[in-house]
Amino acid sequence: ADVVGKGLPGALMMASVRSSLRAHAHSIFDINEIIAQVNREMCRDTQPSEFATLCYGVFAPDGTQFTYCNAGHNPPLLLRGQTFIPLETGGFLIGVLPDVSYDKDVVDLQSRDILVFYTDGVTEAFSFDDEMYGLDRFKESILRYRDEAAHTLANQLLWDVRRFVGLARQSDDISLVVAKVT
């Protein structure tokens, strides 16, 4: 997830989204309905200028499927072979329109698939020369380190962004999660 704003207001918004998500995940089965309920609560409890993006997903116990709903977040990337598949199914961001409906999707996972979840702070990082890191560089980095363990892959992706940014001031927070299917 990612929220608009920084500092204490952003932290409070993220805490609200997280609390609502956790509360509804225990009582509602359908992922898209969980997101719709979180959205309604955020619309009720936030200012019009406050919103969040999030992608919520659940792995099947045996690891063969991933069910998800993407609410306006950067689409997680599924790397299968040499092909990147963006996981876009879902709907509008959270906290703006109370009556939005959301869709969910189920992805059948294969051995050696890699899922990469990230916030816009990764792809929108700027170098000292004011050049944006971008999605293409990010994908190249994923391909470069794809044979590493998930935690090593995540660390290498972060280091690639840091090397690119260099001495430039970080403009946004960065979150990154990597899952590999064994």
Side-chain angles (χ1 to χ4, degrees):
D2 200 3
V3 298
V4 68
K6 308 267 185 268
L8 187 56
L12 290 173
M13 176 76 172
M14 184 60 82
S16 295
V17 170
R18 182 174 183 255
S19 295
S20 180
L21 186 61
R22 292 181 116 197
H24 295 296
H26 287 289
S27 61
I28 302 172
F29 178 75
D30 286 324
I31 286 176
N32 53 321
E33 290 303 316
I34 293 169
I35 301 303
Q37 188 60 34
V38 171
N39 178 57
R40 283 189 288 276
E41 285 186 10
M42 292 301 103
C43 285
R44 192 172 47 242
D45 295 342
T46 60
Q47 301 296 319
S49 62
E50 298 175 321
F51 59 88
T53 65
L54 72 96
C55 184
Y56 177 63
V58 176
F59 289 96
D62 64 0
T64 61
Q65 290 184 324
F66 179 68
T67 304
Y68 75 95
C69 176
N70 187 342
H73 198 64
N74 291 73
L77 299 172
L78 169 62
L79 176 59
R80 178 169 290 154
Q82 296 294 317
T83 304
F84 285 97
I85 303 165
L87 304 183
E88 300 172 311
T89 301
F92 200 62
L93 49 91
I94 300 293
V96 177
L97 301 171
D99 297 323
V100 173
S101 62
Y102 294 88
D103 296 318
K104 66 180 176 185
D105 196 6
V106 179
V107 177
D108 292 319
L109 299 173
Q110 300 174 6
S111 181
R112 300 186 49 82
D113 279 354
I114 299 172
L115 282 165
V116 181
F117 305 84
Y118 61 99
T119 57
D120 62 356
V122 172
T123 54
E124 295 176 5
F126 284 89
S127 71
F128 195 73
D129 295 326
D130 210 30
E131 183 180 358
M132 192 166 68
Y133 188 70
L135 187 58
D136 289 339
R137 274 192 188 88
F138 187 50
K139 288 177 177 179
E140 289 170 12
S141 186
I142 295 168
L143 287 170
R144 185 177 314 114
Y145 302 111
R146 68 182 301 159
D147 294 328
E148 302 292 338
H151 69 280
T152 304
L153 172 57
N155 284 333
Q156 291 298 331
L157 295 174
L158 289 173
W159 275 111
D160 276 2
V161 173
R162 288 182 183 135
R163 279 189 289 271
F164 176 81
V165 169
L167 297 175
R169 186 177 176 151
Q170 185 174 331
S171 60
D172 200 358
D173 58 318
I174 291 176
S175 294
L176 181 70
V177 176
V178 174
K180 293 184 83 171
V181 179
T182 56

